[in-house]
Amino acid sequence: MNIKTIASMAGVSVATVSKIINNYTDISEETRQRVVKIMEETGYRPSSSAKTLATKKSNLVGVIFAGKLNVDFSHPFFVDIINVFKKQIGLLGYDLLFFSNEKFLDNGEDYWARSKYFSVDGCIIIAGDEVEKSVFDLDASPIPCIGVDIELTGASSCYIMSDNQKISMKVVEHFYMNGYREMGFIGIERPSLVIKEREEAFIASLKRFSLDFRPEWIVYGKDYAAED
């Protein structure tokens, strides 16, 4: 069963069936109902690739966990972001396509080429550390992108950043208001803009409340996980 068979059974052209599938308005209601009834009776479902070719929309949004040291589904903050995003984007009729970067990092990744191949309508990019150049190539492309904790500058892009300095300041303030006066800081060993901003704000907040700064109370784990 294909679009040609449906057209033949309905006594219309293939172009007419294609227009009905893709919700064009220049088809009479009688013809539309006849074609829809035949598709329902035969169980015909147009392929997603056929609809994408006709409408230039796939209703797919790519999800990229960027970086050689990337975040993943075990990260409590980013998994919450993806869960909420999935629900909201689903209400708009979109599905998510998750990109793998493990193999492609070794062989020269190309997110733009892969986004075009899958005809995604846009991408959400969640930043880890040591973000690969291909992310910024995608940012500069015509494909709409939203960055989470990564600054994007493309004409079709925007981004949302955590206010890491405010986070540290509010934590120190919370402890201070609850009577704590001796505070330490745990970061991660590798270079990270997030940790750098938090640590600087932590030290500045100690000075703001006239608290002692003790370098030995600043230590570093290997990662963001609780055990580290």
Side-chain angles (χ1 to χ4, degrees):
M1 187 59 61
N2 55 47
I3 194 169
K4 290 183 179 179
T5 308
I6 297 296
S8 176
M9 293 173 67
V12 297
S13 68
V14 170
T16 297
V17 177
S18 178
K19 286 184 175 183
I20 292 169
I21 289 171
N22 294 295
N23 297 316
Y24 281 71
T25 58
D26 58 340
I27 304 294
S28 72
E29 187 59 28
E30 179 185 352
T31 300
R32 183 185 304 277
Q33 291 297 333
R34 185 167 74 252
V35 171
V36 169
K37 183 179 180 182
I38 290 172
M39 288 195 293
E40 289 176 348
E41 290 175 346
T42 59
Y44 173 73
R45 291 284 186 276
S47 69
S48 60
S49 57
K51 292 192 71 173
T52 298
L53 284 172
T55 63
K56 307 303 181 185
K57 279 180 62 65
S58 65
N59 279 47
L60 286 175
V61 174
V63 179
I64 297 172
F65 288 103
K68 293 181 180 179
L69 302 168
N70 60 308
V71 295
D72 55 26
F73 292 107
S74 64
H75 195 292
F77 173 61
F78 290 112
V79 78
D80 279 349
I81 290 176
I82 286 299
N83 281 333
V84 174
F85 184 73
K86 176 181 70 68
K87 291 177 182 177
Q88 296 302 317
I89 207 74
L91 292 173
L92 298 174
Y94 288 84
D95 288 313
L96 301 182
L97 176 68
F98 288 84
F99 284 72
S100 169
N101 71 348
E102 277 73 14
K103 179 179 179 181
F104 294 93
L105 283 171
D106 296 330
N107 298 310
E109 71 294 327
D110 191 338
Y111 289 123
W112 184 16
R114 290 158 68 193
S115 294
K116 289 190 293 183
Y117 176 81
F118 290 108
S119 301
V120 297
D121 294 328
C123 287
I124 179 170
I125 302 170
I126 298 175
D129 293 330
E130 297 185 29
V131 173
E132 55 270 35
K133 176 182 178 295
S134 181
V135 167
F136 300 102
D137 293 337
L138 176 61
D139 171 35
S141 80
I143 295 173
C145 295
I146 299 174
V148 179
D149 275 358
I150 178 172
E151 185 174 342
L152 302 180
T153 59
S156 300
S157 300
C158 61
Y159 62 91
I160 303 165
M161 299 289 288
S162 299
D163 191 337
N164 291 295
Q165 293 180 336
K166 185 175 182 180
I167 288 169
S168 272
M169 292 170 64
K170 295 296 286 185
V171 168
V172 173
E173 179 182 337
H174 173 78
F175 279 132
Y176 182 84
M177 297 302 291
N178 282 276
Y180 294 91
R181 297 295 181 267
E182 298 178 338
M183 305 177 204
F185 181 92
I186 303 174
I188 58 172
E189 294 173 348
R190 62 177 181 265
S192 167
L193 177 61
V194 170
I195 294 300
K196 180 176 181 290
E197 290 180 344
R198 291 180 183 177
E199 184 176 330
E200 289 174 350
F202 169 76
I203 295 171
S205 295
L206 292 181
K207 294 177 180 178
R208 174 189 170 202
F209 290 104
S210 300
L211 299 175
D212 291 336
F213 165 63
R214 297 178 61 172
E216 65 269 27
W217 285 358
I218 294 183
V219 296
Y220 303 94
K222 292 184 178 180
D223 214 322
Y224 294 101
E227 57 267 27
D228 292 309

